[in-house]
Amino acid sequence: MQARGKKTALIVAGGVVALAVIVLYATYNPAHSHLAPKCPVFLLTGWECPSCGIQRALHSILTGEWGLALRYNPFLCLSIPYALIAMWGAWGKGSAADKCSRFAFHEVFEL
């Protein structure tokens, strides 16, 4: 029973952290602040790496500006449906969740 309590505490703590990040990025625009962490690859080379623009894209998604988010980082925008399918497959119940799980985790289990 003690292990279940720890698992519940971790889930609650993770939810609180996720909610704090969502509120932070919904209210705070990293494109207009010098406090936002900058990409070290871009600072050293001047080239954008695949993760450049994730903070700006997340802010744009949370404020409903999907077109701008897609321009900032298309990888983040395209990964959201896959992440939702993977979460439903991991935590859902029923045949639909089983299908989502097989779709999302197919390559992982075949290695």
Side-chain angles (χ1 to χ4, degrees):
M1 193 67 169
Q2 191 174 11
R4 185 174 182 175
K6 286 182 182 180
K7 183 177 179 182
T8 303
L10 284 174
I11 290 172
V12 169
V16 168
V17 169
L19 184 62
V21 168
I22 288 170
V23 168
L24 175 72
Y25 279 107
T27 58
Y28 168 77
N29 188 353
H32 302 298
S33 174
H34 65 281
L35 297 175
K38 306 299 182 220
C39 176
V41 173
F42 183 74
L43 290 175
L44 292 173
T45 65
W47 296 341
E48 290 188 349
C49 70
S51 64
C52 276
I54 285 181
Q55 295 179 69
R56 293 172 289 166
L58 182 60
H59 172 75
S60 298
I61 288 169
L62 292 173
T63 56
E65 300 175 21
W66 283 89
L68 189 58
L70 191 61
R71 192 168 42 143
Y72 282 140
N73 192 306
F75 295 118
L76 178 69
C77 298
L78 296 174
S79 68
I80 290 173
Y82 179 80
L84 293 173
I85 289 170
M87 285 190 296
W88 178 256
W91 297 315
K93 293 185 179 6
S95 63
D98 291 339
K99 289 178 185 175
C100 290
S101 179
R102 284 194 300 274
F103 168 76
F105 303 112
H106 179 73
E107 294 294 329
V108 174
F109 291 123
E110 284 198 9
L111 292 178

